[in-house]
Amino acid sequence: MESMIILIFIIGYFFITLEDTISLNKVIPSLLMATICWSLIMFWNIPVFELNNKWKDPKILLLFHLGKASEIIFFLIGAMSIISIIDKYSGFEALIDLFHTNTKRKFLWIISLLSFVLSAIIDNLTATIVIATILKKVIYDYKERLYYLGLVIISANAGGVWSPIGDITTTMLWISNKVTTFNLVKRIFIPSILCMLFSTLIGSLMPIFDGIIQIKKSDLSKFDRKKALWILNIGLSLLLFVPIFKTITGLPPYMGMIFSLGILGLITNMQEKNFSIEEVFQKIDLSSILFFFGILLSISALEYLGILYNLSHWISHIVSTWKVTTFLFGLTSSVIDNVPLVAATIAMFSYPVDHEFWHHIAYVSGTGGSILLIGSASGIAAMGMEKIDFFWYLKKISWLAIIGYLSGFLYLLVYPFFSL
């Protein structure tokens, strides 16, 4: 029966990877995969893998894993709601008025740096969507816009890996107590900025970025722009407060995110008589939340059976060092969605908190996803918004992503020698 559960997981994951080909939203196989796997465990009363387990009752273990998954789900709901409030008051549109340049090359650097910084605060997916929206209002030539957007994907994914709230995979590592905020930033900030800098530097030499650019101001009035920037500053500050809240109170990260959402809701409600929290919640990407939910519970079913534990031992015997393992995982994340990949990694390996292994995983899972267009949520979002061709990205952008990926990874390899 264990082989049946493994087969269900493989089939479900196969349909997830073919989402665009068969026009089946990945949330559907994700939810079916989770419920079928756990139903088989309950129905056949399959014994739990007993290593370090406190409970043997499948129902209690399911409740335990539900609690672990819910920490990430409520964290995402809070973050998405805050972003929705900022967007409701045109906070991101007001950023257009801050651009002061007349050359395409300088504009590329501004966009890349903005993507890098924003993704660390509002996550790489949201940052890509925001920047893609801005680009539509600034770059009218479709071909030129694709090149900008390709480098935005690389920069946003690089910016998300050094922040505990910048990428869903990094957030998973943080919430699972695999990394701490201070050490994550300390170890991953330089590799991630190297990834962004080298990719952008080499990309900026392309002839497509020669020439001048004229940036039109936004359509916001002076009063609306002032209010939008105010909401933007408050929202971003509250997002940055989440790790501080965890440090001060010791509460899980999702509590800090819910607290920040409550504060922002209170402020906007006091300022705006017509403020509607229901309208904010309607803009939350529920399908992504349910996809993560299904994936996390599916992975927990494999963990329950001890499959992931055995797989980790097999990998350890096959691969000579964990550094090679993380490098290969990074390349794999360009093909396989990095959320289930990192969820499985967390369940498979038992390295202590802030071990170099987890910092490597944080870096490779995000930046490796930039190598192919389908390797990251930001890439898939950009593909949907601008109809980017997979093979165009492979030909024009992937080699830049590989250069960035390798530059940061090489720094991670030599870092221990610098710290001696």
Side-chain angles (χ1 to χ4, degrees):
M1 188 48 60
E2 291 183 7
S3 58
M4 177 65 71
I5 293 175
I6 296 173
L7 180 62
I8 293 297
F9 182 85
I10 293 173
I11 293 173
Y13 198 79
F14 176 74
F15 280 106
I16 289 173
T17 58
L18 294 179
E19 177 185 22
D20 296 320
T21 305
I22 62 177
S23 299
L24 179 67
N25 192 301
K26 61 185 177 182
V27 68
I28 297 173
S30 173
L31 293 176
L32 288 174
M33 182 169 60
T35 52
I36 293 174
C37 285
W38 276 100
S39 296
L40 291 174
I41 289 174
M42 295 290 187
F43 183 79
W44 293 100
N45 196 25
I46 300 175
V48 63
F49 179 70
E50 297 186 6
L51 182 67
N52 296 327
N53 266 319
K54 298 179 182 178
W55 308 287
K56 296 184 180 181
D57 187 342
K59 293 181 180 179
I60 297 178
L61 274 172
L62 175 59
L63 187 62
F64 170 74
H65 288 294
L66 176 65
K68 289 171 63 179
S70 296
E71 288 191 28
I72 297 174
I73 297 305
F74 279 103
F75 184 94
L76 291 174
I77 291 174
M80 289 181 178
S81 300
I82 291 175
I83 299 305
S84 180
I85 293 175
I86 296 174
D87 186 57
K88 176 180 171 62
Y89 293 99
S90 305
F92 299 116
E93 186 177 349
L95 290 173
I96 297 176
D97 297 332
L98 302 180
F99 298 149
H100 300 288
T101 182
N102 59 356
T103 69
K104 294 178 182 179
R105 190 159 286 113
K106 288 182 180 178
F107 181 69
L108 171 64
W109 278 104
I110 292 173
I111 285 294
S112 292
L113 288 169
L114 182 61
S115 303
F116 183 84
V117 173
L118 271 183
S119 65
I121 305 174
I122 63 175
D123 81 62
N124 53 1
L125 171 60
T126 308
T128 301
I129 294 172
V130 168
I131 301 300
T133 304
I134 291 175
L135 286 174
K136 279 188 175 183
K137 298 179 180 180
V138 176
I139 307 296
Y140 300 106
D141 185 281
Y142 176 70
K143 181 181 177 181
E144 287 185 12
R145 195 162 66 239
L146 292 188
Y147 279 92
Y148 281 104
L149 195 52
L151 286 160
V152 163
I153 292 170
I154 297 174
S155 298
N157 286 339
V161 299
W162 63 272
S163 165
I165 59 175
D167 187 298
I168 178 59
T169 54
T170 316
T171 300
M172 289 164 61
L173 291 168
W174 183 47
I175 291 177
S176 302
N177 199 34
K178 301 301 182 183
V179 298
T180 58
T181 302
F182 176 78
N183 285 302
L184 178 68
V185 175
K186 177 184 175 183
R187 291 296 307 277
I188 305 302
F189 178 74
I190 293 180
S192 62
I193 202 169
L194 286 174
C195 177
M196 183 275 294
L197 286 175
F198 276 97
S199 297
T200 304
L201 176 62
I202 297 173
S204 67
L205 301 177
M206 292 180 174
I208 195 77
F209 297 114
D210 293 335
I212 62 173
I213 185 175
Q214 292 182 343
I215 301 176
K216 295 182 179 180
K217 297 293 184 181
S218 69
D219 298 328
L220 298 173
S221 66
K222 185 176 180 180
F223 174 77
D224 288 338
R225 183 165 62 252
K226 183 178 180 181
K227 182 174 67 173
L229 288 173
W230 183 74
I231 291 292
L232 176 65
N233 290 330
I234 293 293
L236 296 184
S237 297
L238 286 170
L239 286 170
L240 288 171
F241 178 70
V242 173
I244 299 174
F245 183 90
K246 178 182 183 296
T247 302
I248 295 174
T249 64
L251 290 171
Y254 71 90
M255 292 294 289
M257 188 61 76
I258 296 300
F259 175 78
S260 292
L261 172 60
I263 294 296
L264 184 59
L266 178 63
I267 292 173
T268 50
N269 191 70
M270 292 172 62
Q271 295 290 324
E272 298 288 334
K273 294 181 180 179
N274 297 323
F275 174 76
S276 172
I277 194 68
E278 290 82 7
E279 185 179 341
V280 170
F281 290 147
Q282 287 174 1
K283 294 184 177 181
I284 292 177
D285 187 0
L286 185 60
S287 63
S288 292
I289 291 174
L290 290 175
F291 167 70
F292 296 142
F293 179 75
I295 283 293
L296 292 171
L297 284 187
S298 299
I299 294 295
S300 70
L302 300 182
E303 183 181 359
Y304 172 96
L305 298 173
I307 295 169
L308 299 181
Y309 176 80
N310 294 330
L311 181 59
S312 67
H313 273 263
W314 179 79
I315 292 174
S316 299
H317 282 92
I318 295 297
V319 181
S320 58
T321 171
W322 60 262
K323 293 181 180 179
V324 176
T325 301
T326 57
F327 180 79
L328 296 176
F329 274 28
L331 297 180
T332 305
S333 70
S334 68
V335 181
I336 299 176
D337 192 293
N338 55 7
V339 171
L341 187 66
V342 172
T345 303
I346 292 172
M348 281 194 293
F349 297 96
S350 56
Y351 292 101
V353 61
D354 278 328
H355 188 279
E356 286 181 74
F357 175 85
W358 299 119
H359 295 137
H360 279 238
I361 288 295
Y363 174 80
V364 302
S365 62
T367 57
S370 303
I371 296 175
L372 295 180
L373 187 59
I374 60 172
S376 65
S378 54
I380 293 173
M383 179 172 62
M385 292 178 70
E386 290 286 9
K387 309 302 179 186
I388 305 175
D389 182 72
F390 174 86
F391 292 102
W392 177 90
Y393 185 95
L394 181 65
K395 181 180 178 181
K396 303 293 185 179
I397 305 297
S398 291
W399 65 280
L400 294 172
I402 292 173
I403 290 173
Y405 175 75
L406 292 176
S407 63
F409 192 83
L410 287 174
Y411 176 86
L412 284 174
L413 292 180
V414 301
Y415 173 83
F417 298 102
F418 295 152
S419 58
L420 292 177

